[in-house]
Amino acid sequence: QHTRIHTIMAAAAPQATAALNTEQLHVALQHSFSPDASVRLPAEAAVKNLKHVKGAVTMLLQVAAERQVQYEVRQAAAIQLKNICRECWVERLSFGAIVAEDGGTKSKKALLDEEDKAGLRTNLVEALLAEPEKSVRDLLAETLHSMAIHDFPDKWPNLLPTLLNQVAQSSDGSQALRVHNALLALRKICKRYEYKSKEQRGPLNDIVLQSFPLLLPLAQRLSDPNEHSLEAAMMLKQILKIFWSSTQFYLPSGVGGNDGGAGGAGGAGGGGQSTAENAGAAFQPEKMQPWFDILRAVLIKPLPEASTGLEPQNQPTTVEERNAWPWWKCKKWSVQIMSRLFSRYGIPAYAEDEAKEFAKYFSASVAPQFLGPVCETLNLRPSGQFCTDRVVHLCLTFVDLAVELAPTYKLLKPHMDFLLYKVCFPTLCLTAEDIELFEGDPHEFVHRQNSPLADFYDPRMSAITLITDLVKHRGRDVTQPLLGFLTEVLHRYNSTADDAKNHVEKDGALLALGSLADYLLSKKKFAGELEGMMVTSVYPDFNSPVGFLRCRSCWMVQRFSSIKWSDDGTNLRSLIQLVLQRLSDPALPVQIEASKALRFLIEVEGAETTLLPVLPQLLTEYFRIMTEIGNDEVVAALQVIIDKFGDHIEPHAVALVTQLSAAFDNYCSAGEDDDDAAMAAAQCLECIATVLKGICERPDLYKSMEPQLVPLVLQILGNDGAFIEYLEYALDILTFLTYFPDEISPQLWEAFPLIYVAFDQWAFDYLNLMVPPLENFIAKSPQQFLAGTSQTPEGTVSYIDLVFSMVAKTVAEDRSSENECRKALSLYMSILHSCGGSIDAYLPMMNDITLAKLGQQVNNEVPLTRIAIFQVIGSALYYNPQLELAELEKRGVTQQVFAQWVQDSEQMEKWLPRKLTVLGLTSILMLPTSQLPASISASVPQLISAVVSMTGKMKEEAEKEENEEGGEQAFEEEAEEYDDDDDGFGEDEDVTNEADEMYMDALNQLSNGGGDAVARFLIGEDWDSDYDDDDDDFVSPLDEVDTLLYVNDTLKAAFQREPEVYQRVQAALPPETVNTCQKLFAAADVQRAQAAAQQQQP
């Protein structure tokens, strides 16, 4: 057996020449499951190397598709096939494969050849269509998806006709499996385009035009009230998912399908139809009505219990199986599609222009007709029937949107009691499962309560959103009755005997009130009642025997911490003591909520005096809780405490960092699947940075923390990106450790080459965070930086070459934003400012890169990158004016560069580019005019004018800022405003607000392929990245150079050195320049005299 394994290993090795056959592959996959490591490990290595073996993907597909093969082996083959196709289908840009100086490359990536790819395109679809096993089928579908991303439609033109030919045979019952799998494949193709802008969705529009005439009649048949088969539900689910991918961001043409039904795939195209015929839903909204009828039919379809024997039969009995049952999945997709369409087109005022007609039709006709089925679905649970959480969540989301639209709100208004008290309030209340989880598995309870995904699936969250939106938008109809109901629950609880109290009902009422906190605190008529509510209904629960009520009381503190207390401070002190006691509560969820509550209480005036004496015990409790569970909000609360008590944290700093480092290690070892621990680990690092910030005036303490922090930073920077999710925080910590101490330890220098490797191989996008620590290394120890070397696969490379490589790659790489290019160029400035006289040999390369970038930027309307380049050129002139001018002359660009520089200097608003412009241009005047290039010597008057003008402006602005700082008046805080007049909108009004308008405008711009900075920000991109440079953070030895004195001394020295030349220059200067110059000379003399006088003072 071992001999056989080694034969397979040899055949599957990267440099293999021996052919690998299907039988050998089958054996290797089988042995990869062996419990015997001596058998398993060689087999795993052979499988891992398959990507280097020609024909391997064809054999993997054969094994995966062969029914006679053991299921686990088929699955393993399908997994390997998917991974190889994803990794090796096309060549990916990798900074690990940059061409080396000798013309070779660092590494050769495996790539599938065209013959293998063509064979797979031919055979994969048939294998997928015939596959009955869900797991293997899904893996083959994912493989098709990753291939289609690169090959469809250009290199795979027969893919769509093949799938549609299969769908066209849907009337043949024997073809049900193949039709379903064809729909699955079609969904994978559509999914690729669902988030694309209008301009990039061309293939999706073609898919819709060709497929929807087939899909519509099929969906109508499958959604017929008399169709109950599981196969029908599975096919219908795929069709609804295709519809979702095709419509969720933009209505494509032809979405209404074809009234004539469908022929074969050849006739299904409709490709030759005119644009007018296929204008689609945007211009002919009634074309969508057949699809709305299908969605409605799906939602109203009764799904009886299996025990009734009614169709559709055999509904599962466990919640988990019901959630996965295809008929419930169909309902989920039905209401999800309608909710998405409602959010985009429900308020016609928000719709993009070309969708206005559709929005009017949808709001007037479609949304109202769907409201009944949604409310009937929401009535399932109150009437004792089952409904999945996801469907309840989406139905509540639909109703929430209906609240904003006047026609649907009018229909809802008579049923408000049903919605609030039969649907929403019971949904808020803890279930028996929740309570069992609280008591039996507190870790899982905390995980669910704090899950960031809850907003997307938890009915409790959508019920809270609906209640808050009803109060906010339709307050005149809702608020008083709702508050009366919740108050009655609290009163009933207080007046009931202990053994008869309804604890769950009270918890639900407090959750509802806490969710309305922002609204209640903003209304004077309610704000005054909140203190009494807290004291009578929340304070007693801190000591309740019911754990979840103790937990809720701590949560209520978070919601109402900003109450204006009317007494002498006793209530606040009592509250702080109650919360402190709950830090050591026997129930973990209570400890978590108490630790989060202190974060809010600490901000309240007067809280500090109560908490400061117990700070050491407080820190101990937090670390005990953090040892118990990874929760990022607990660590965030600790961070607020550290930040608040910054002046008092010093004695605890080393212990804090030690504990946080240990907690980080603990959370990291929790495993990849523990998202809570991963988030808490990241928060630990952020907390460490907060500690370091708090003790920055005691940099000597940093040294005692290095034994904990340096290994942590090196661990994250190394390990081939295994800890990339923590890289941002590690770089922040490294920035602190390299900035504040007077010198950088040898251990810290180990991080320098690791930053380069991370950038080069797996963290290119983190350049902006890498630059600050690199600049600290360069500025703190320039000689060590210049002498430093690192071992790379290409041999020994100096640190300065690593930095130059980073800058060159960033500036040359298309993926880089202009902001990243500017950040990279600042590394050149650091080197020029810190390494005086030591880097002459690097000026040519520096000019090659910066001037090439300048050439690309000449016509750019926004001058920020050009200004960054002029900062580098100014720094180079200050470093050595003679050498830098020679570099410019050598390239014949001196005149163009200086002309553009002077022109762009008018748009320099920040201090740094102005200072470097002044220093750079002034440095030229240190050279004898005989050594200046002709173009410069002829322009000395203009040069001096530019320098004098900018220096004068800088001096004026500095004086102005000084005067403003001295004359600032302290403004009293405005009294808190209450808004008691706003009760929302009348029933005849649609709800409108600025946030919704901005969001919908952003979506519309994105679907049109455009999008300004606000649009990009709303979907998660950086805010206004072309304008966010922060030069205030740049620190260098040039900070010590006084611009005014430098200009004064250089000009006077030039006049003394060449009096005749500079007399002619002076004669050519405009009178205002001469006048400014004399004022600057006088100001420099005054400044020097003042400095001398200060030095003589005892």
Side-chain angles (χ1 to χ4, degrees):
Q1 189 180 50
H2 287 266
T3 306
R4 196 174 190 189
I5 285 292
H6 289 302
T7 304
I8 296 166
M9 280 281 295
Q15 69 277 19
T17 53
L20 174 73
N21 62 42
T22 309
E23 173 58 25
Q24 289 174 321
L25 173 60
H26 179 236
V27 171
L29 290 166
Q30 263 187 324
H31 287 166
S32 67
F33 294 101
S34 172
D36 182 349
S38 65
V39 174
R40 186 182 68 255
L41 294 176
E44 287 176 347
V47 170
K48 186 176 180 182
N49 278 321
L50 284 172
K51 61 188 176 185
H52 297 285
V53 179
K54 179 170 171 51
V57 289
T58 303
M59 289 182 280
L60 282 167
L61 182 59
Q62 289 171 351
V63 173
E66 178 52 63
R67 312 277 175 78
Q68 303 303 315
V69 171
Q70 180 186 349
Y71 171 71
E72 287 78 11
V73 174
R74 294 181 63 209
Q75 191 176 42
I79 290 170
Q80 289 305 318
L81 178 64
K82 181 196 73 166
N83 292 343
I84 291 174
C85 289
R86 181 177 290 173
E87 181 184 343
C88 307
W89 199 262
V90 296
E91 188 168 6
R92 299 175 186 275
L93 182 64
S94 167
F95 287 95
I98 298 296
V99 178
E101 289 180 12
D102 62 0
T105 58
K106 292 184 184 177
S107 60
K108 176 67 177 167
K109 295 284 184 184
L111 269 183
L112 296 179
D113 67 18
E114 288 304 319
E115 186 181 349
D116 277 349
K117 292 199 281 190
L120 208 53
R121 283 193 293 264
T122 302
N123 299 319
L124 178 69
V125 176
E126 177 55 34
L128 172 57
L129 292 178
E131 182 53 58
E133 292 285 354
K134 182 179 187 307
S135 173
V136 176
R137 180 172 68 213
D138 289 347
L139 287 164
L140 294 178
E142 275 304 313
T143 305
L144 181 140
H145 179 242
S146 64
M147 291 162 58
I149 285 172
H150 305 292
D151 286 11
F152 179 81
D154 298 340
K155 294 181 182 177
W156 208 350
N158 65 337
L159 175 58
L160 188 60
T162 302
L163 298 176
L164 294 182
N165 266 325
Q166 187 62 67
V167 174
Q169 298 173 47
S170 60
S171 57
D172 181 351
S174 67
Q175 297 287 311
L177 173 67
R178 293 176 66 87
V179 172
H180 170 270
N181 292 358
L183 292 168
L184 171 64
L186 188 58
R187 150 74 168 164
K188 292 296 180 185
I189 302 170
C190 294
K191 189 174 172 63
R192 181 198 165 190
Y193 299 101
E194 67 183 88
Y195 295 108
K196 299 287 187 184
S197 66
K198 195 183 297 182
E199 284 71 24
Q200 298 171 303
R201 293 168 64 99
L204 182 58
N205 291 333
D206 292 339
I207 293 168
V208 169
L209 283 169
Q210 294 182 53
S211 65
F212 273 42
L214 283 168
L215 298 181
L216 178 60
L218 176 56
Q220 286 170 326
R221 177 165 67 77
L222 297 172
S223 60
D224 185 276
N226 297 313
E227 177 58 80
H228 302 300
S229 71
L230 208 55
E231 291 80 7
M234 291 171 67
M235 285 190 269
L236 186 55
K237 180 185 79 170
Q238 293 300 339
I239 293 173
L240 295 180
K241 290 167 80 170
I242 292 166
F243 187 87
W244 165 266
S245 289
S246 304
T247 60
Q248 72 150 321
F249 274 114
Y250 174 64
L251 296 173
S253 56
V255 77
N258 186 323
D259 293 339
Q273 296 174 7
S274 69
T275 306
E277 286 179 77
N278 282 298
F283 299 102
Q284 295 174 280
E286 65 281 355
K287 292 180 75 172
M288 282 274 269
Q289 189 57 49
W291 285 103
F292 295 140
D293 293 340
I294 291 166
L295 295 170
R296 189 174 186 279
V298 170
L299 193 58
I300 64 175
K301 185 179 185 73
L303 300 181
E305 294 293 328
S307 58
T308 65
L310 299 173
E311 295 281 5
Q313 294 185 5
N314 302 318
Q315 177 169 182
T317 52
T318 70
V319 172
E320 192 173 334
E321 290 177 313
R322 289 189 202 235
N323 288 336
W325 198 44
W327 281 116
W328 277 116
K329 286 284 190 183
C330 287
K331 284 185 182 284
K332 183 210 88 165
W333 281 104
S334 164
V335 71
Q336 181 169 318
I337 289 166
M338 288 306 297
S339 293
R340 165 62 78 171
L341 291 171
F342 203 157
S343 70
R344 291 222 65 186
Y345 307 108
I347 307 282
Y350 291 159
E352 54 195 312
D353 290 342
E354 66 181 48
K356 283 276 195 278
E357 285 304 310
F358 176 78
K360 289 176 185 173
Y361 176 81
F362 185 92
S363 60
S365 303
V366 181
Q369 66 172 272
F370 217 72
L371 195 57
V374 165
C375 288
E376 287 167 21
T377 305
L378 287 173
N379 192 40
L380 289 172
R381 286 187 176 181
S383 59
Q385 299 174 70
F386 177 80
C387 187
T388 67
D389 278 355
R390 192 80 176 92
V391 170
V392 172
H393 169 81
L394 288 163
C395 285
L396 287 170
T397 301
F398 185 91
V399 172
D400 186 47
L401 293 160
V403 166
E404 298 190 17
L405 180 67
T408 45
Y409 178 65
K410 282 182 183 175
L411 295 173
L412 276 175
K413 189 177 173 183
H415 309 287
M416 204 50 66
D417 282 2
F418 159 75
L419 265 177
L420 285 172
Y421 311 126
K422 300 293 184 189
V423 176
C424 287
F425 186 72
T427 304
L428 293 188
C429 292
L430 292 171
T431 63
E433 185 201 0
D434 292 327
I435 297 169
E436 185 181 334
L437 207 60
F438 182 98
E439 294 169 352
D441 189 353
H443 284 78
E444 179 59 21
F445 181 86
V446 170
H447 167 70
R448 290 193 190 178
Q449 293 293 310
N450 294 278
S451 170
L453 297 176
D455 285 350
F456 302 101
Y457 68 79
D458 187 353
R460 191 172 285 128
M461 299 306 295
S462 49
I464 287 170
T465 302
L466 176 55
I467 288 173
T468 52
D469 283 347
L470 276 167
V471 168
K472 181 178 173 185
H473 301 316
R474 306 295 182 182
R476 64 189 70 170
D477 300 326
V478 171
T479 306
Q480 288 294 357
L482 175 62
L483 292 178
F485 169 82
L486 297 174
T487 304
E488 173 57 29
V489 170
L490 298 182
H491 287 161
R492 185 162 60 245
Y493 183 89
N494 289 342
S495 59
T496 304
D498 288 352
D499 58 349
K501 288 181 186 295
N502 188 333
H503 308 302
V504 168
E505 186 183 54
K506 179 177 183 182
D507 180 78
L510 291 178
L511 174 56
L513 287 164
S515 302
L516 294 170
D518 291 342
Y519 175 85
L520 297 174
L521 288 163
S522 71
K523 304 289 181 185
K524 193 173 185 179
K525 59 188 173 188
F526 301 129
E529 305 294 320
L530 297 175
E531 183 178 11
M533 182 268 293
M534 288 290 289
V535 171
T536 57
S537 293
V538 176
Y539 278 33
D541 286 346
F542 278 98
N543 294 304
S544 167
V546 181
F548 62 78
L549 280 180
R550 298 197 304 275
C551 194
R552 181 64 64 202
S553 63
C554 294
W555 179 82
M556 288 289 282
V557 174
Q558 300 165 45
R559 302 299 300 154
F560 291 104
S561 63
S562 60
I563 282 178
K564 297 290 180 273
W565 302 100
S566 61
D567 65 348
D568 60 358
T570 303
N571 282 338
L572 175 60
R573 286 192 296 274
S574 300
L575 186 57
I576 292 171
Q577 291 300 332
L578 289 167
V579 173
L580 287 172
Q581 290 165 17
R582 295 281 66 81
L583 282 175
S584 51
D585 193 278
L588 178 66
V590 182
Q591 298 174 28
I592 298 288
E593 291 304 322
S595 62
K596 287 157 61 177
L598 277 178
R599 171 184 183 172
F600 295 88
L601 281 179
I602 201 169
E603 303 291 348
V604 179
E605 189 177 348
E608 197 171 331
T609 53
T610 306
L611 289 170
L612 186 56
V614 295
L615 182 59
Q617 298 92 303
L618 202 56
L619 298 176
T620 302
E621 285 296 321
Y622 270 88
F623 281 114
R624 184 190 54 73
I625 295 169
M626 286 165 58
T627 305
E628 176 76 19
I629 188 171
N631 183 284
D632 63 309
E633 290 192 63
V634 173
V635 190
L638 174 62
Q639 190 175 342
V640 171
I641 291 171
I642 292 169
D643 208 26
K644 186 74 172 178
F645 293 120
D647 295 341
H648 306 278
I649 222 71
E650 204 174 282
H652 312 286
V654 176
L656 275 169
V657 166
T658 303
Q659 293 264 30
L660 286 163
S661 302
F664 172 79
D665 285 338
N666 185 34
Y667 295 150
C668 277
S669 62
E672 291 181 11
D673 297 331
D674 193 336
D675 292 337
D676 286 353
M679 291 170 67
Q683 198 71 53
C684 281
L685 297 181
E686 200 170 332
C687 205
I688 288 172
T690 304
V691 175
L692 295 177
K693 183 178 78 172
I695 60 163
C696 62
E697 293 182 6
R698 285 286 312 279
D700 53 300
L701 288 174
Y702 284 25
K703 285 295 169 201
S704 52
M705 296 174 181
E706 282 192 13
Q708 286 77 38
L709 295 181
V710 173
L712 182 150
V713 169
L714 298 180
Q715 173 190 356
I716 294 168
L717 284 173
N719 292 292
D720 295 326
F723 298 95
I724 189 170
E725 65 265 46
Y726 308 121
L727 181 59
E728 176 181 346
Y729 308 105
L731 290 168
D732 279 347
I733 290 168
L734 185 59
T735 302
F736 276 109
L737 294 178
T738 51
Y739 181 79
F740 286 104
D742 294 331
E743 57 185 36
I744 296 174
S745 67
Q747 291 76 22
L748 271 176
W749 274 100
E750 292 176 33
F752 194 100
L754 292 180
I755 294 176
Y756 170 78
V757 173
F759 167 85
D760 185 58
Q761 307 213 347
W762 50 270
F764 177 84
D765 296 330
Y766 286 78
L767 174 97
N768 282 0
L769 295 166
M770 294 174 174
V771 168
L774 288 174
E775 289 179 336
N776 294 342
F777 278 113
I778 295 165
K780 276 281 163 64
S781 304
Q783 294 311 312
Q784 195 162 350
F785 163 67
L786 292 171
T789 59
S790 174
Q791 293 302 316
T792 72
E794 288 75 44
T796 303
V797 181
S798 67
Y799 284 177
I800 189 170
D801 284 336
L802 296 182
V803 172
F804 266 72
S805 174
M806 289 178 73
V807 179
K809 287 174 185 175
T810 303
V811 173
E813 170 56 46
D814 290 339
R815 279 190 302 158
S816 304
S817 68
E818 288 305 313
N819 174 264
E820 286 170 328
C821 289
R822 295 192 290 271
K823 200 74 175 173
L825 289 170
S826 74
L827 286 168
Y828 281 165
M829 293 197 299
S830 291
I831 293 171
L832 287 165
H833 297 179
S834 301
C835 305
S838 302
I839 55 157
D840 294 3
Y842 285 90
L843 281 185
M845 194 191 314
M846 200 180 285
N847 277 279
D848 286 342
I849 290 164
T850 51
L851 294 173
K853 185 67 178 175
L854 181 61
Q856 296 169 12
Q857 289 283 319
V858 162
N859 297 316
N860 200 328
E861 188 179 338
V862 179
L864 289 180
T865 302
R866 290 199 302 274
I867 288 171
I869 291 166
F870 292 134
Q871 289 181 173
V872 175
I873 296 173
S875 301
L877 286 167
Y878 182 82
Y879 169 85
N880 188 321
Q882 192 164 4
L883 278 180
E884 178 58 18
L885 286 174
E887 290 297 327
L888 296 174
E889 280 294 292
K890 189 165 67 179
R891 294 167 177 77
V893 296
T894 312
Q895 199 159 358
Q896 301 97 300
V897 167
F898 279 90
Q900 186 69 53
W901 193 352
V902 171
Q903 181 182 327
D904 283 340
S905 69
E906 297 297 321
Q907 297 187 64
M908 291 179 184
E909 297 177 355
K910 295 194 173 182
W911 186 265
L912 182 63
R914 289 177 175 186
K915 177 169 184 172
L916 293 176
T917 295
V918 169
L919 295 183
L921 296 180
T922 306
S923 297
I924 295 171
L925 303 177
M926 296 176 72
L927 300 176
T929 49
S930 59
Q931 294 180 16
L932 295 177
S935 57
I936 294 294
S937 59
S939 305
V940 169
Q942 290 91 326
L943 208 65
I944 292 177
S945 290
V947 165
V948 168
S949 171
M950 189 168 279
T951 309
K953 285 178 184 173
M954 290 170 70
K955 180 176 176 297
E956 285 175 15
E957 286 182 16
E959 290 171 350
K960 186 179 175 185
E961 281 180 22
E962 204 173 300
N963 291 336
E964 283 176 356
E965 284 174 14
E968 277 183 1
Q969 298 294 321
F971 292 99
E972 291 183 13
E973 286 187 20
E974 293 179 19
E976 184 163 353
E977 288 186 17
Y978 292 101
D979 183 9
D980 281 352
D981 297 329
D982 180 16
D983 283 326
F985 297 80
E987 66 176 34
D988 294 319
E989 299 175 281
D990 291 341
V991 173
T992 55
N993 65 67
E994 281 187 30
D996 282 353
E997 286 178 26
M998 285 180 71
Y999 184 70
M1000 292 309 299
D1001 186 49
L1003 278 179
N1004 293 338
Q1005 290 191 50
L1006 286 166
S1007 70
N1008 287 323
D1012 61 6
V1014 174
R1016 295 196 300 273
F1017 176 68
L1018 283 168
I1019 56 129
E1021 290 189 21
D1022 287 342
W1023 175 262
D1024 218 359
S1025 63
D1026 273 343
Y1027 297 89
D1028 63 355
D1029 296 350
D1030 191 358
D1031 294 330
D1032 297 337
D1033 292 338
F1034 186 81
V1035 178
S1036 87
L1038 265 65
D1039 295 342
E1040 303 302 316
V1041 178
D1042 187 295
T1043 310
L1044 175 61
L1045 298 182
Y1046 186 78
V1047 170
N1048 172 79
D1049 295 352
T1050 306
L1051 282 175
K1052 285 181 177 177
F1055 270 89
Q1056 289 171 3
R1057 185 181 64 240
E1058 300 174 85
E1060 292 180 7
V1061 173
Y1062 278 93
Q1063 280 172 1
R1064 290 196 296 274
V1065 168
Q1066 183 174 341
L1069 293 174
E1072 60 269 21
T1073 299
V1074 175
N1075 186 32
T1076 304
C1077 196
Q1078 289 170 346
K1079 288 180 180 175
L1080 292 176
F1081 289 166
D1085 291 341
V1086 169
Q1087 189 172 313
R1088 276 223 163 88
Q1090 289 174 341
Q1094 282 179 350
Q1095 283 182 345
Q1096 290 173 4
Q1097 288 178 357

